[in-house]
């Protein structure tokens, strides 16, 4: 199925605050009863809100949770992010959230995700920026 036929996957970039606060904000923003996906950058800080949610969603796997190593996602983490995104987009999530441990280059990341090939798959939504 082509991207134009199935529609674009909404993507929200989440930054600011601590990892647990970003996860809580994402949990609140998840569209209900849809196959959503979340990419978390960095290490967990002991709060398992999204992990618990992913484990207990019905139907199973309606929340796909992926964690990638910390590192600027438009610089050092670019390849890891692209591989993760390419694999994830094969499953066509209803909504995708990417939680950033460091939002220093958020505009460069946004630009990369708005360019080819991701412009045919993703619809960038307004960023969700939490106060530090």
């Amino acid at each position: 199925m082509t991207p134009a036929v199935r529609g674009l996957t909404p993507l929200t970039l989440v930054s600011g605050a601590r990892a647990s606060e970003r996860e809580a904000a994402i949990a609140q923003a998840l569209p209900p009863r849809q196959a959503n996906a979340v990419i978390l950058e960095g290490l967990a800080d002991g709060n398992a809100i999204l992990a618990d949610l992913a484990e207990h969603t019905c139907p199973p796997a309606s929340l796909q949770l992926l964690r990638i190593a910390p590192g600027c996602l438009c610089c050092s983490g670019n390849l890891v992010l692209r591989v993760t995104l390419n694999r994830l987009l094969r499953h066509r999530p209803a909504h995708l959230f990417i939680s950033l441990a460091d939002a220093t280059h958020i505009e460069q990341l946004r630009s990369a995700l708005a360019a080819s090939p991701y412009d045919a798959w993703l619809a960038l939504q307004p960023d969700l920026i939490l106060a530090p």
Side-chain angles (χ1 to χ4, degrees):
M1 192 175 276
T2 65
V5 172
R6 71 156 185 92
L8 301 176
T9 297
L11 168 66
T12 302
L13 298 175
V14 183
S15 64
R18 293 185 349 229
S20 62
E21 292 165 341
R22 289 191 304 271
E23 287 193 38
I26 291 169
Q28 281 189 314
L30 286 171
R33 296 179 293 282
Q34 294 183 13
N36 299 295
V38 178
I39 297 174
L40 301 171
E41 177 200 3
L43 303 172
D45 66 359
N47 187 340
I49 292 173
L50 290 174
D52 289 344
L53 204 60
E55 190 175 305
H56 297 101
T57 55
C58 189
S62 64
L63 176 59
Q64 187 170 9
L65 184 60
L66 303 164
R67 188 173 295 279
I68 58 177
C72 180
L73 294 181
C74 78
C75 299
S76 60
N78 186 288
L79 180 61
V80 173
L81 177 63
R82 288 184 176 271
V83 169
T84 302
L85 266 177
N86 292 344
R87 288 180 179 163
L88 181 63
L89 290 173
R90 290 182 197 152
H91 301 285
R92 301 191 315 245
H95 197 113
L96 173 60
F97 293 85
I98 299 178
S99 174
L100 305 169
D102 180 4
T104 303
H105 296 150
I106 196 167
E107 288 306 317
Q108 292 92 322
L109 177 60
R110 183 173 256 290
S111 294
L113 294 170
S116 181
Y118 299 112
D119 61 340
W121 294 96
L122 299 170
L124 274 71
Q125 306 299 300
D127 298 341
L128 180 55
I129 302 173
L130 305 173

